[in-house]
Amino acid sequence: MRLVIARCSVDYAGRLTAHLPSAPRLILVKADGSVSIHADDRAYKPLNWMSPPCTLKEGAGDEKGVWTVTNKAGEKLIITMEEVLHDSSHELGVDPGLIKDGVEAHLQELLADRIDTLGEGYSLIRREYMTAIGPVDILCRDAEGQTVAVEIKRRGEIDGVEQLTRYLELLNRDPHLAPVRGIFAAQEIKPQARVLATDRGIGCTVLDYDALRGIEDDKLRLF
């Protein structure tokens, strides 16, 4: 990973145009080829980014200090450096990945086995479908054959919706999968997360852990 702290401006040219005026920012260049620009707020979310596969060209001569990041669709992220305050590279090695807690891992396994819980006619493509930014919990198809990405949480909060949003953005760039819609599935979904998901066109499904395990609810039984 390469870490660059610089006073810079950023221009994006693609499906739309966007401009970030000059300010000190953190630029991350990861081993997977992705480039992201961060401010000292907004938690983990970058101001702008280019997902892999993409190429980074550092200008020379009159263009020195100008980075041009281009993806396979021809979209460009142009970073104009005014002052570099820090530039270092670090080898992080292979990451072991996120280890889900027992309930989340079991929910994923159970839902994959009972994929029709999401609706009649659903079929599983695979669990842990790998992308450049991590694995999608479940990738499946609905009754109409549309690809569906499912993110599973024990407790559904806003960060889970944000995670699924990033997966959907990446998956929809693959012509073999697009269009891909999302389902946010959890045992409990917080109201704020549901509002955000709905606003982004993501469906929400509340999972009944016991029902998925085949355990009937006997609370209402008289005998």
Side-chain angles (χ1 to χ4, degrees):
M1 177 182 290
R2 183 178 178 186
L3 308 175
V4 178
I5 299 175
R7 177 173 290 277
C8 62
S9 60
V10 183
D11 292 278
Y12 171 81
R15 290 165 293 179
L16 49 80
T17 58
H19 174 73
L20 294 173
S22 176
R25 297 188 175 95
L26 168 64
I27 303 166
L28 298 182
V29 183
K30 294 187 178 180
D32 63 4
S34 63
V35 178
S36 57
I37 298 99
H38 299 259
D40 199 10
D41 62 5
R42 298 165 59 94
Y44 56 83
K45 189 173 183 180
L47 295 166
N48 214 326
W49 68 93
M50 194 70 83
S51 300
C54 57
T55 58
L56 168 61
K57 179 181 178 182
E58 298 185 42
D62 293 340
E63 295 295 315
K64 186 176 181 180
V66 178
W67 289 13
T68 302
V69 187
T70 309
N71 67 13
K72 63 180 181 180
E75 299 167 324
K76 292 185 178 182
L77 198 62
I78 301 169
I79 307 169
T80 304
M81 310 283 190
E82 298 169 14
E83 181 184 9
V84 176
L85 306 173
H86 176 85
D87 188 346
S88 64
S89 296
H90 308 270
E91 180 58 54
L92 302 185
V94 178
D95 191 89
L98 177 67
I99 300 175
K100 293 181 177 290
D101 67 37
V103 174
E104 281 189 15
H106 200 204
L107 279 170
Q108 183 192 114
E109 180 183 349
L110 291 169
L111 186 58
D113 287 341
R114 298 166 176 78
I115 198 66
D116 57 356
T117 300
L118 299 176
E120 186 177 349
Y122 274 70
S123 59
L124 179 69
I125 296 176
R126 67 168 297 168
R127 291 170 53 196
E128 297 286 330
Y129 184 89
M130 186 56 65
T131 74
I133 57 174
V136 177
D137 286 335
I138 289 179
L139 198 67
C140 58
R141 295 194 190 278
D142 63 18
E144 285 72 44
Q146 183 178 358
T147 310
V148 182
V150 185
E151 179 64 25
I152 299 171
K153 299 293 184 186
R154 181 171 57 181
R155 177 178 295 174
E157 301 187 17
I158 284 177
D159 58 350
V161 178
E162 294 283 7
Q163 182 180 358
L164 179 54
T165 299
R166 293 194 297 274
Y167 287 144
L168 289 171
E169 180 179 353
L170 195 60
L171 291 169
N172 272 300
R173 297 183 184 186
D174 187 337
H176 299 293
L177 297 175
V180 185
R181 64 182 179 89
I183 293 178
F184 189 50
Q187 288 182 277
E188 173 192 0
I189 299 178
K190 295 294 185 179
Q192 300 92 332
R194 187 180 290 275
V195 169
L196 181 61
T198 301
D199 183 66
R200 295 183 177 180
I202 294 171
C204 291
T205 297
V206 176
L207 299 175
D208 186 326
Y209 187 41
D210 288 340
L212 286 171
R213 294 165 63 200
I215 301 175
E216 294 185 5
D217 186 356
D218 61 358
K219 291 180 181 178
L220 300 180
R221 290 181 180 272
L222 298 177
F223 51 85

